[in-house]
Amino acid sequence: MRVLVPFAAETPKTRLESVLSPAERVAFARAMLADVLRAIVEAGHEPTIVATAPLELAAPGLELPDDVATAVSVTVDDRPLTDAVNARLPDSNATTADAVAVVMADLALATPDALERLLTATADVAIAPGRAGGTNALVVRDPAFAVDYHGASYLDHCAIAREVGATLETIDSFRLGTDIDEPEDLVEVLVHGRETDRALTYLRKAGFELDERDGRVDVRRDEASMTETR
């Protein structure tokens, strides 16, 4: 099975601009990417990063350990996400062995076990939806299926699967369903991140901590730590 990890290499995580500088967003995005790649490799697969611009595996903030780096490849495709993914999905000559998985690079809580649930699903199309209706990860075996990542793509992908007569399975997973896009999403990393995760380590180094008040949980940032990561 081919496992693709799309990655915006130049201007990632723009919706975090209120809490992270441009350089910090690049570093945090690379930390999450490193965590996702490690989880995929530990699940027994060799991922390919589909980057929007050239990306070195030894790039600052990424710096994969040798056992992960040797299993990872990088290809560059600056087309929109939908086009880049569709160009790599199974074609009419595909066999079961040609299944393609697409795992987003901002799934900071992904674990090998969570990914294995998705990657071993036997349906023609298996989808791990995001909390806001997006498609955080999927496996495609049916060559008639094509992705469309605009809007509530999970619903669109379910409809497309039905239209082409593909069997469909939804993978209900908190860890795969949690993508880190908005400032409030950082709470999930601080609460559920593993001690070995790069994303959690980065946020702590940058001075982020939980802020519990008025019955709500948010994040706050120690201003003294901001200069260390800017």
Side-chain angles (χ1 to χ4, degrees), residues 109-119 128 171 173-176:
L109 304 184
T111 62
D113 287 346
L115 285 166
E116 195 63 17
R117 283 186 57 208
L118 171 75
L119 299 176
I171 305 299
S173 169
F174 167 75
R175 288 193 169 272
L176 298 184

Side-chain angles (χ1 to χ4, degrees), residues 8-29:
E10 297 171 300
T11 55
K13 297 292 119 190
T14 55
R15 283 184 277 177
L16 293 175
E17 62 184 358
S18 64
V19 294
L20 293 172
S21 70
E24 288 174 328
R25 294 199 302 274
V26 169
F28 183 53

Side-chain angles (χ1 to χ4, degrees), residues 13-230:
K13 297 292 119 190
T14 55
R15 283 184 277 177
L16 293 175
E17 62 184 358
S18 64
V19 294
L20 293 172
S21 70
E24 288 174 328
R25 294 199 302 274
V26 169
F28 183 53
R30 289 178 178 179
M32 291 193 290
L33 173 62
D35 288 337
V36 169
L37 294 172
R38 187 189 68 173
I40 294 171
V41 172
E42 289 180 357
H45 299 272
E46 298 184 349
T48 296
I49 303 170
V50 183
T52 56
L55 179 71
E56 296 293 332
L57 296 181
L62 189 53
E63 301 143 330
L64 298 173
D66 290 343
D67 61 330
V68 176
T70 55
V72 176
S73 59
V74 181
T75 187
V76 177
D77 193 328
D78 62 2
R79 288 177 291 180
L81 176 61
T82 294
D83 295 336
V85 170
N86 279 331
R88 292 168 171 82
L89 291 184
D91 59 23
S92 58
N93 296 317
T95 66
T96 302
D98 296 322
V100 175
V102 184
V103 180
M104 294 304 163
D106 60 355
L107 304 187
L109 304 184
T111 62
D113 287 346
L115 285 166
E116 195 63 17
R117 283 186 57 208
L118 171 75
L119 299 176
T120 58
T122 58
D124 296 330
V125 178
I127 305 174
R131 292 171 299 174
T135 300
N136 284 3
L138 83 165
V139 172
V140 179
R141 291 183 169 84
D142 190 321
F145 181 86
V147 298
D148 182 352
Y149 282 104
H150 301 97
S153 62
Y154 167 67
L155 296 177
D156 294 337
H157 289 151
C158 289
I160 294 168
R162 289 191 294 266
E163 289 171 4
V164 302
T167 58
L168 175 67
E169 181 177 353
T170 296
I171 305 299
D172 183 7
S173 169
F174 167 75
R175 288 193 169 272
L176 298 184
T178 304
D179 48 327
I180 310 303
D181 278 324
E182 308 287 350
E184 56 267 28
D185 297 335
L186 301 182
V187 169
E188 306 299 343
V189 180
L190 292 173
V191 172
H192 300 287
R194 299 175 297 172
E195 290 298 321
T196 55
D197 287 347
R198 295 268 192 94
L200 176 61
T201 300
Y202 182 86
L203 290 182
R204 286 176 172 171
K205 182 180 178 181
F208 286 94
E209 59 186 12
L210 294 175
D211 183 12
E212 301 181 52
R213 66 177 80 177
D214 301 325
R216 295 178 57 84
V217 180
D218 204 340
V219 294
R220 64 183 173 212
R221 190 174 189 185
D222 176 10
E223 296 295 326
S225 301
M226 293 176 66
T227 56
E228 295 184 19
T229 55
R230 287 188 181 273

